Amino acid sequence: MRRGRLLAAFEASGYRWLVASNFALWAAWTAEALTQGWLVLQLTDSPFWVGLVGAARGVGQVVFSVVGGTAADRFDRKRLVAFANVAAALISLALAALVAADRVELWHIVAASAVGGMLFALNGPTFSALTFDVVGGARILNATAFYFMGGAVPRIIAALAGGLLIDRLGLAPNFALVFVLYVAAAALVLQVRRPTAAATAHEPPLRALLTGLRYVGRTPAIRGALVLSLVTEVFGFAYLWMLPVVARDVLVVGASGLGFLTAAVAGGQLVASLSLASVGDVRRKGRLLVTSAFAFGVAIVAFALTDRFAASLVLAFVVGSAASTYDSAMAAVLQVAVSPEMRGRVLGLYVSTWGASQVGGLIVGALATGIGVPLALALSGAVVALNALRANRLVDVLTPEHARPLVTPDEA
């Protein structure tokens, strides 16, 4: 492993602050998802409602992502990220107070999840575009790998600590921890001193949004990557929302076991991201993308069909590894291929497909209610693998030379 390649992105001024903010942000997301999922399960005793709360977040994310991406092309990116994090922190603080007072109701969690999805729709594309501003195209794969690797370490810690906190102290302290982590993420990103003026700040908002949609429609590489992302997110990452149900009802290991499962996923993410970061740049990013999507689907099928905790931990590690490789490849393909003035808007559409994973959680949750969690997860993984095989024909167009700007603002 060559140290120069591994740390290439850190040569860019300001990237260290982004990494630190990213650590806090991933820890917040992990503790938030774990705590909300367990709380919903306690209130409803239903995998369907666990999926529905995830779907509420996904709907907010899908609906608002294009707007969030347009904002990322128009306004100061680091301030937008800080605003989204502070707002999310206040939501967690409100939930902590409601839980501590024993006044929390299901609709509170649904509403918090929906607003959280809208805030993520602003945060996701803006943070990604800010990262490209700081590191540039030559280092973006390395920086993207560190983005997901930066999520792995705090996810492991947050998952283990969160599970233990729930078992020993209850849910309110976890929500308070999420509040602190969001505030830390906001404070750290504001330390980035690199200017991030938007390339299309002069363009009216609605026109800017329509320009971005036309650009995607006319660019085969971007369009193909987004379709692959949509299917993978809906049927692949829905497994995250079913982990509380798997831990409690299939493996019977409780909240602490849920923490270990989440940590195993994060461990796989860490190892895969370290390996990818050490490579530096990869020329055939399209091949890496499609192969990792296929491996992700197969790993979910295997994870779904085991009822032994030790085997589930190993397979959760494999799922996390494949998912992280897929995520890094997808983000790199889009960042390098997109026209600079369209970056925020395309990334907004990409983040909207992330929201579809929460909608997928509702689909898998409803299916699990009828046929059981293992079979529902296995079917969703099979869809991901089969779709990756279908997308294999797109490998040759998922390259930067096939993704030139085909529409300009004046054409909108």
Side-chain angles (χ1 to χ4, degrees):
M1 184 181 296
R2 292 178 56 184
R3 184 174 182 272
R5 287 182 178 177
L6 179 63
L7 302 178
F10 286 87
E11 298 171 2
S13 176
Y15 183 68
R16 289 172 176 81
W17 292 112
L18 284 180
V19 169
S21 176
N22 181 42
F23 264 62
L25 197 55
W26 275 101
W29 289 336
T30 300
E32 183 179 54
L34 185 150
T35 309
Q36 285 190 3
W38 199 258
L39 176 58
V40 172
L41 203 56
Q42 281 189 347
L43 291 174
T44 67
D45 196 36
S46 168
F48 172 78
W49 280 105
V50 173
L52 183 64
V53 169
R57 183 180 181 90
V59 169
Q61 192 171 321
V62 169
V63 170
F64 201 71
S65 285
V66 178
V67 177
T70 303
D73 280 337
R74 295 179 57 83
F75 302 110
D76 185 289
R77 287 167 177 164
K78 67 181 181 181
R79 293 185 184 278
L80 284 177
V81 171
F83 165 79
N85 289 338
V86 170
L90 293 176
I91 292 173
S92 294
L93 185 62
L95 286 176
L98 287 169
V99 171
D102 197 25
R103 297 178 65 88
V104 67
E105 298 180 17
L106 184 60
W107 74 266
H108 294 141
I109 310 169
V110 174
S113 186
V115 176
M118 296 173 66
L119 293 172
F120 184 87
L122 176 61
N123 193 332
T126 308
F127 192 94
S128 295
L130 177 60
T131 301
F132 193 93
D133 291 341
V134 171
V135 305
R139 299 174 180 140
I140 191 60
L141 181 61
N142 180 264
T144 300
F146 265 104
Y147 173 78
F148 292 107
M149 180 171 60
V153 174
R155 280 186 74 195
I156 294 172
I157 297 171
L160 294 174
L164 290 173
L165 277 175
I166 291 173
D167 275 347
R168 297 184 180 182
L169 300 178
L171 292 161
N174 258 23
F175 281 119
L177 173 63
V178 173
F179 165 79
V180 172
L181 290 169
Y182 271 126
V183 171
L188 289 165
V189 79
L190 287 174
Q191 302 306 309
V192 177
R193 300 303 178 194
R194 190 180 185 90
T196 58
T200 58
H202 64 281
E203 198 175 0
L206 180 58
R207 188 178 183 184
L209 188 152
L210 293 175
T211 299
L213 293 175
R214 290 186 64 190
Y215 173 78
V216 170
R218 295 185 180 186
T219 312
I222 303 299
R223 188 174 65 247
L226 288 175
V227 171
L228 175 62
S229 179
L230 178 63
V231 175
T232 305
E233 294 290 340
V234 169
F235 294 100
F237 287 93
Y239 85 92
L240 287 169
W241 297 95
M242 291 296 104
L243 281 182
V245 188
V246 171
R248 195 194 69 167
D249 297 341
V250 178
L251 301 174
V252 197
V253 290
S256 297
L258 172 61
F260 278 104
L261 282 174
T262 307
V265 172
Q269 178 182 339
L270 174 62
V271 171
S273 299
L274 268 173
S275 300
L276 194 57
S278 67
V279 171
D281 197 17
V282 175
R283 179 172 177 78
R284 300 202 68 188
K285 295 181 179 68
R287 174 61 64 189
L288 178 65
L289 173 62
V290 172
T291 301
S292 58
F294 176 78
F296 180 39
V298 172
I300 291 173
V301 173
F303 173 78
L305 297 179
T306 182
D307 59 358
R308 296 180 180 275
F309 186 50
S312 294
L313 288 175
V314 173
L315 290 169
F317 179 94
V318 176
V319 168
S321 178
S324 182
T325 303
Y326 160 80
D327 275 332
S328 297
M330 177 63 79
V333 164
L334 290 175
Q335 289 270 35
V336 173
V338 70
S339 177
E341 68 273 12
M342 299 292 173
R343 183 164 289 116
R345 280 161 282 185
V346 169
L347 291 172
L349 288 170
Y350 173 45
V351 169
S352 75
T353 68
W354 292 7
S357 69
Q358 282 91 3
V359 178
L362 174 61
I363 296 172
V364 175
L367 192 60
T369 302
I371 65 175
V373 173
L375 185 54
L377 281 177
L379 288 174
S380 68
V383 170
V384 172
L386 291 173
N387 182 62
L389 291 177
R390 178 203 60 81
N392 189 59
R393 61 186 176 82
L394 298 173
V395 166
D396 291 335
V397 300
L398 292 175
T399 55
E401 57 266 26
H402 286 85
R404 56 188 181 278
L406 298 180
V407 60
T408 65
D410 292 337
E411 293 179 82

